[in-house]
Amino acid sequence: MAKKSEIALQFDKELFIRSVKYNVKTLYRKSMDEATGQEIFQAAGYAIKDVIIDNWMATQKEYEKKDPKMVYYMSMEFLMGRAMGNNLINLQAYKAVAECLEELGLDINVIEDQEPDAALGNGGLGRLAACFLDSLATLGYGAYGCGIRYRYGMFKQEIRDGYQVEVPDNWLEHGNPFELRRPEYTKEIKFGGYVNVYQDENGKNVFKQENYQSVMAVPFDVPIVGYGNGIVNTLRIWDAEPVQCFQLDSFDKGDYQKAVEQENLARNIVEVLYPNDNHYAGKELRLKQQYFFISASVQEAVAKYMRSHDDIRKFADKVTFQLNDTHPTVAVAELMRILMDDYCLEWDEAWEVTTKTCAYTNHTIMSEALEKWPIELFSRLLPRVYQIVEEINRRFILDIEKKYPYETGLTQEKIRKMAIVYDGQVKMAHLAIVAGYSVNGVARLHTEILKNQELHDFYEMFPEKFNNKTNGITQRRFLLHANPLLADWVTERIGDGWITDLKKINKIKSAANDPKAREQFMAIKFQNKVRLAKYIKEHNGVDIDPNSIYDVQVKRLHEYKRQLLNILHVMYLYNQIKEHPEMEFYPRTFIFGAKAAAGYRNAKLTIKLINSVADVINNDETIDGKIKVVFIENYRVSNAEIIFAASDVSEQISTASKEASGTGNMKFMLNGAITLGTMDGANVEIVEEVGADNAVIFGLSSDEVINFEKFGGYNPMDIFNCDEDIRKVLMQLVNGFYSPDDPERFRTLYNSLLNTESTDVADRYFILKDFRSYAEAQKKIEEFYRDSDRWAQAAILNVACSGKFTSDRTIQEYVDEIWHLDKVKLPKRTS
Ligand code: 26Q
């Protein structure tokens, strides 16, 4: 049997060095010592792409030969982060390249730092897509990621005067060595106009969209390297270009107008990623983006299939589309359109293919995230697609009437709740469920809530479609690359099998009871804490103490994630220390990192509050540095890698039932942090794996939250009136304690917790309700940490029990239970 290292490319160091020098010369007309860091990164990037490209070609050839079933992972977001380090890791060439660069007098970390993050996503959903691509390639499954090549990714966050300022992310400024433009696959995408019906020679209706505007979709391919197996899959992201260059004088006025509009459409459509996370904003341009990349991807998927098959009716034998939330759901109607209008299938035939091809993943139960497009907008932009959606809806309503006949008295209510087109809106989740063969949630609890609450009506109608796929993360990026010290320590003890089979990491369990191993583990954690302290000093100018507990909450800023609970507790602790200076207190560094959607007022104000609290506390010399508060600017994939490795406490404190899964929680666990969390999302399964003794849990259960939401019975004023400590903290929001220049600054945060006049529900996220329980849990953390042996034991057990949370496991479950893909193995390379 060929060993992994034989299949993986033999890495030729001399060739690589020559290639870097050559690239510096031909790209920049410079010698190595004249080149800037960025130029060397580019040159190294091209040299790495050279190494990848043979495997890429070999993989695609093998796919052509074996014709395996493939998945198209359709997603508005791929939060890839940096490519260089990850590609080298998966090529098993990281150390070799580090040595090459060293020979050239360069530090690989410095070169890696030159690469901008590919931030084509907001948060969890986008990063999940990136982890899935890594696992698909590593497991040897044929897959395409389909998305948009945004000119500007997730904004860069700057903190000025404590406030978030959004700065455009011009990530392509210096060029991207890892992408390949593929103009030969260009597709035309049509918007607007109207649909005319003609009859062909057989008297069959032919639908034709006319007087439309179009843009050209031009794909860029990005290689996705599997770990040590020679497989290279493709992330295909679409750029927009105007249909034709036009000359001013050769157009009459109407055409000129149209030409300009088309040019603008092309310019606008892929301009920028919408920076909303878990929030729907019904923007016309967003719907254009969705149809743009979906139409291009579906057209290409069908064209590719037909290049090597002759019967489009068997499409679903070879292709499946996974819809990453409802954002790509228009794929359902676009596939119907292509099958009927371009391939002349009858409705029933096209429906058969479509419903065997499309599957939908739900990532949220937050009602403000549900996509509902106004009919007026949807039908104006996509007139033919809308006709098809209407027909899907009409037929679905017939099904509802069949299942709930009028004599049951349920018909009207079911139609009202379940119809795809209703009340002037197109409901994308309903479309995805009706037209898909699978509906999955992303953690066990989340899937149960979907079945029993949010999507209960659909579950009753299609129980067989519903299934759970608990999220996962790739250990290649989030341990092997992010935490080399811990990765080496694990490998030394148990071998490197965990890199492709994370269950095996369970073998380090024995280290938890080995005093020497515990000491080594804590020493590694300490070094990682020093690395983060250095980063924070460089980027924030704040000194933090690596001997303090690093208590970390990094994730998007959202009220349901309750960063506000965290910072209110810090304010409370600070009051305690001031009131009882003699009180024993283990030094703590509270670390935050979060981007707020640009228009989300309370989220942005929470960032200001965190920074204001930091200002006061960090500059109060009377507390002996017992508490430090740090807000890490511009939290993103690349600095996340440094942060997870250095964390002691993982804050996962969402209101129970609101966080579908969370994936940061898993990255912390893998790096030996202890979860301080609610019984929400995947936290439930994390606690199940590691044991309740090795995590700290607090707060309302999801059932309790759901009951309060349904039946009422919680009034935060009761808590305000009875709990003096909480009252004091809340009053500090409005008495200028943290905002002497403007005492009213944080009034809206105060109101969100207490005031039923300004919001429909006071304390919608149960922050005050959970406060005491959280404070007690925090106390437990402190006691826990004081017993450093016990802490080290628990931390190691977290690493040891993280096996379930690899995205390799998640993907294998998608393959076995949803997609049914064929595995591909590359033949041994002889050259
Ligand atoms: C929708 C309409 C218009 C503009 C933007 C959006 C939009 C964009 C992004 C809506 C939602 C998102 C992102 C959602 C998201 O990241 N959800 C997270 O998905 C993770 C992966 O499954 C889970 O772990 C998290 O719990 C969930 O919050």
Side-chain angles (χ1 to χ4, degrees):
M1 202 185 80
K3 292 237 290 283
K4 250 186 261 156
S5 52
E6 287 173 78
I7 299 169
L9 211 119
Q10 283 307 307
F11 188 79
D12 184 336
K13 284 169 70 176
E14 248 162 60
L15 181 67
F16 183 80
I17 291 178
R18 252 185 291 141
S19 173
V20 173
K21 287 182 180 166
Y22 177 81
N23 289 342
V24 164
K25 189 167 89 182
T26 56
L27 287 169
Y28 304 108
R29 210 200 65 187
K30 286 186 181 173
S31 62
M32 287 299 288
D33 47 328
E34 293 169 313
T36 65
Q38 175 61 220
E39 288 164 348
I40 289 171
F41 158 71
Q42 294 283 336
Y46 282 104
I48 293 164
K49 190 165 73 180
D50 279 348
V51 178
I52 293 170
I53 209 110
D54 290 317
N55 284 342
W56 204 358
M57 290 168 71
T59 302
Q60 300 309 314
K61 234 204 191 110
E62 191 65 11
Y63 289 162
E64 269 166 41
K65 206 170 103 196
K66 295 275 166 64
D67 193 26
K69 186 175 182 188
M70 303 230 197
V71 62
Y72 287 72
Y73 198 81
M74 307 283 193
S75 180
M76 289 284 281
E77 307 192 9
F78 288 90
L79 191 41
M80 303 300 288
R82 291 175 176 157
M84 188 168 113
N86 200 247
N87 284 334
L88 292 177
I89 288 271
N90 284 6
L91 291 167
Q92 297 181 305
Y94 190 87
K95 283 184 178 150
V97 165
E99 286 161 17
C100 291
L101 292 172
E102 207 178 305
E103 274 177 44
L104 295 166
L106 299 161
D107 176 351
I108 190 166
N109 290 305
V110 176
I111 303 303
E112 281 185 68
D113 271 340
Q114 295 291 328
E115 182 178 1
D117 280 37
L120 308 184
N122 274 285
L125 164 150
R127 183 56 231 178
L128 185 75
C131 285
F132 280 3
L133 295 184
D134 183 87
S135 288
L136 279 160
T138 297
L139 293 174
Y141 293 112
Y144 286 93
C146 302
I148 296 174
R149 183 174 177 271
Y150 300 106
R151 273 284 277 106
Y152 293 89
M154 187 62 206
F155 63 77
K156 284 189 185 156
Q157 179 192 57
E158 286 182 10
I159 301 296
R160 295 192 203 146
D161 187 29
Y163 288 102
Q164 166 177 296
V165 176
E166 300 90 20
V167 178
D169 164 45
N170 191 4
W171 70 294
L172 292 166
E173 186 173 30
H174 303 287
N176 176 6
F178 297 106
E179 68 181 12
L180 212 57
R181 186 167 178 267
R182 308 301 299 277
E184 65 271 36
Y185 296 113
T186 298
K187 301 283 179 290
E188 184 183 7
I189 315 296
K190 300 173 181 174
F191 293 99
Y194 41 80
V195 181
N196 267 333
V197 190
Y198 302 92
Q199 306 221 310
D200 68 7
E201 56 275 20
N202 308 318
K204 208 183 150 198
N205 284 339
V206 177
F207 296 86
K208 239 182 130 215
Q209 190 174 352
E210 286 172 355
N211 200 28
Y212 52 83
Q213 287 188 356
S214 45
V215 292
M216 303 314 282
V218 183
F220 284 68
D221 286 356
V222 181
I224 306 294
V225 178
Y227 182 86
N229 63 357
I231 297 271
V232 182
N233 283 336
T234 304
L235 166 61
R236 176 160 283 179
I237 47 182
W238 297 89
D239 187 20
E241 287 182 16
V243 174
Q244 83 275 60
C245 301
F246 63 96
Q247 278 167 341
L248 279 182
D249 50 11
S250 69
F251 282 83
D252 68 30
K253 199 161 178 277
D255 280 340
Y256 175 74
Q257 201 58 35
K258 187 166 172 184
V260 174
E261 280 171 17
Q262 290 196 147
E263 173 119 12
N264 281 332
L265 183 62
R267 231 198 301 284
N268 287 332
I269 205 158
V270 298
E271 188 65 7
V272 62
L273 166 79
Y274 277 92
N276 299 346
D277 180 286
N278 275 300
H279 185 81
Y280 161 73
K283 291 282 189 318
E284 179 161 342
L285 184 59
R286 169 88 177 177
L287 185 58
K288 284 183 185 163
Q289 290 183 336
Q290 294 182 348
Y291 184 68
F292 168 77
F293 96 97
I294 284 300
S295 178
S297 302
V298 176
Q299 285 185 52
E300 175 53 27
V302 172
K304 181 177 162 59
Y305 172 84
M306 289 309 287
R307 284 197 286 270
S308 54
H309 305 86
D310 49 19
D311 187 357
I312 191 67
R313 289 171 187 79
K314 294 187 183 154
F315 187 66
D317 291 351
K318 293 294 175 185
V319 175
T320 188
F321 295 164
Q322 189 66 36
L323 310 178
N324 200 19
D325 213 299
T326 54
H327 318 154
T329 296
V330 67
V332 161
E334 178 66 2
L335 181 56
M336 288 293 289
R337 183 189 71 77
I338 291 171
L339 294 174
M340 294 188 300
D341 296 359
D342 298 350
Y343 288 87
C344 302
L345 263 53
E346 297 296 329
W347 180 277
D348 289 328
E349 297 174 310
W351 185 246
E352 169 92 6
V353 172
T354 300
T355 53
K356 281 184 175 161
T357 300
C358 298
Y360 157 60
T361 303
N362 177 290
H363 295 266
T364 187
I365 64 154
M366 302 285 292
S367 57
E368 66 257 42
L370 291 179
E371 282 192 294
K372 303 174 201 161
W373 294 102
I375 290 177
E376 183 280 321
L377 165 60
F378 197 100
S379 61
R380 174 165 49 80
L381 213 57
L382 311 173
R384 177 63 183 136
V385 165
Y386 180 69
Q387 286 183 337
I388 292 169
V389 171
E390 263 195 330
E391 180 62 11
I392 295 174
N393 182 57
R394 189 185 69 78
R395 289 169 183 246
F396 177 54
I397 285 174
L398 294 178
D399 291 345
I400 296 178
E401 288 168 340
K402 218 187 242 158
K403 168 131 182 135
Y404 302 102
Y406 279 88
E407 52 272 24
T408 63
L410 293 170
T411 324
Q412 272 319 315
E413 143 125 355
K414 292 289 179 187
I415 291 174
R416 177 178 60 78
K417 281 159 69 185
M418 297 171 77
I420 296 164
V421 183
Y422 199 85
D423 215 10
Q425 295 173 319
V426 183
K427 302 186 177 179
M428 300 309 271
H430 299 190
L431 178 58
I433 297 167
V434 171
Y437 66 95
S438 165
V439 178
N440 76 280
V442 289
R444 194 207 299 138
L445 174 68
H446 169 60
T447 302
E448 287 307 307
I449 294 173
L450 291 179
K451 291 196 292 191
N452 301 329
Q453 317 275 341
E454 306 303 310
L455 300 179
H456 183 68
D457 294 310
F458 290 97
Y459 178 57
E460 280 194 335
M461 195 142 169
F462 311 110
E464 72 289 348
K465 291 189 187 185
F466 283 73
N467 64 94
N468 175 244
K469 296 288 166 283
T470 297
N471 283 166
I473 58 166
T474 169
Q475 68 270 30
R476 268 87 55 189
R477 181 178 290 263
F478 290 106
L479 183 53
L480 188 54
H481 184 256
N483 195 344
L485 296 175
L486 188 60
D488 285 347
W489 180 80
V490 171
T491 297
E492 271 164 36
R493 301 189 71 91
I494 64 164
D496 65 1
W498 62 272
I499 298 172
T500 49
D501 184 3
L502 195 61
K503 278 194 316 289
K504 295 207 169 109
I505 208 165
N506 197 253
K507 287 192 248 163
I508 59 143
K509 217 170 183 171
S510 58
N513 293 321
D514 172 349
K516 181 108 186 291
R518 285 200 295 243
E519 203 178 296
Q520 291 168 345
F521 176 89
M522 291 305 271
I524 288 167
K525 185 59 89 177
F526 185 81
Q527 285 188 59
N528 286 326
K529 288 166 80 170
V530 171
R531 177 172 71 156
L532 180 59
K534 226 175 112 201
Y535 179 93
I536 288 173
K537 179 72 180 168
E538 260 166 44
H539 293 83
N540 294 62
V542 181
D543 282 301
I544 64 171
D545 178 4
N547 288 300
S548 65
I549 302 172
Y550 283 15
D551 180 315
V552 185
Q553 187 173 21
V554 287
K555 49 179 80 250
R556 283 300 292 260
L557 216 142
H558 208 295
E559 283 165 293
Y560 83 80
K561 296 177 189 283
R562 298 200 297 191
Q563 283 92 351
L564 185 55
L565 172 61
N566 187 343
I567 196 67
L568 290 175
H569 174 257
V570 173
M571 291 160 63
Y572 158 81
L573 278 184
Y574 180 59
N575 290 342
Q576 294 291 303
I577 291 172
K578 295 293 272 185
E579 285 165 26
H580 313 283
E582 73 295 343
M583 181 179 83
E584 275 203 62
F585 188 84
Y586 202 101
R588 241 340 149 112
T589 304
F590 292 96
I591 296 170
F592 294 83
K595 288 179 183 174
Y600 192 168
R601 285 192 50 223
N602 277 357
K604 295 183 102 172
L605 198 54
T606 303
I607 291 176
K608 174 63 176 169
L609 177 63
I610 293 167
N611 283 307
S612 302
V613 172
D615 264 352
V616 171
I617 296 184
N618 296 349
N619 294 309
D620 182 345
E621 282 166 13
T622 71
I623 63 162
D624 283 344
K626 281 180 184 149
I627 303 180
K628 280 269 165 82
V629 179
V630 182
F631 189 94
I632 294 180
E633 192 176 63
N634 202 26
Y635 173 61
R636 62 195 187 281
V637 175
S638 57
N639 61 17
E641 295 181 29
I642 300 172
I643 296 167
F644 294 126
S647 298
D648 296 310
V649 180
S650 160
E651 296 259 4
Q652 306 301 336
I653 62 178
S654 54
T655 309
S657 80
K658 303 296 180 202
E659 190 69 276
S661 162
T663 44
N665 46 4
M666 302 167 186
K667 295 163 197 169
F668 280 105
M669 181 192 198
L670 179 65
N671 283 276
I674 282 161
T675 303
L676 166 52
T678 49
M679 275 298 189
D680 198 17
N683 297 352
V684 176
E685 290 160 77
I686 286 178
V687 174
E688 182 173 295
E689 292 299 304
V690 77
D693 294 345
N694 300 302
V696 180
I697 297 304
F698 74 96
L700 295 173
S701 68
S702 64
D703 284 340
E704 288 169 328
V705 168
I706 289 166
N707 275 328
F708 277 128
E709 286 175 341
K710 271 196 186 150
F711 307 116
Y714 164 53
N715 184 357
M717 257 318 185
D718 298 341
I719 295 175
F720 181 84
N721 289 329
C722 299
D723 190 321
E724 206 180 319
D725 296 334
I726 291 181
R727 191 162 63 241
K728 178 165 173 177
V729 168
L730 291 176
M731 291 318 292
Q732 287 172 335
L733 288 177
V734 289
N735 66 13
F737 191 86
Y738 290 103
S739 55
D741 56 322
D742 178 8
E744 288 295 307
R745 178 170 296 139
F746 300 116
R747 173 72 66 180
T748 55
L749 294 180
Y750 174 93
N751 282 345
S752 77
L753 296 170
L754 291 171
N755 194 328
T756 37
E757 277 162 39
S758 56
T759 55
D760 42 336
V761 199
D763 196 13
R764 152 164 288 154
Y765 297 104
F766 301 93
I767 288 176
L768 301 191
K769 186 81 186 159
D770 274 349
F771 186 91
R772 277 292 160 192
S773 164
Y774 179 57
E776 273 165 42
Q778 282 285 18
K779 253 203 125 49
K780 268 193 227 158
I781 287 279
E782 182 177 332
E783 285 156 26
F784 204 160
Y785 197 84
R786 281 180 197 283
D787 184 349
S788 61
D789 275 344
R790 178 68 188 92
W791 182 273
Q793 184 188 44
I796 293 170
L797 286 175
N798 269 275
V799 180
C801 298
S802 64
K804 174 174 179 184
F805 302 106
T806 172
S807 45
D808 299 341
R809 186 266 316 150
T810 313
I811 285 299
Q812 195 58 56
E813 289 178 8
Y814 274 91
V815 168
D816 292 342
E817 297 162 27
I818 304 179
W819 302 333
H820 305 290
L821 308 181
D822 310 300
K823 206 169 192 134
V824 171
K825 252 201 180 135
L826 288 190
K828 214 159 123 185
R829 288 264 298 280
T830 43
S831 62

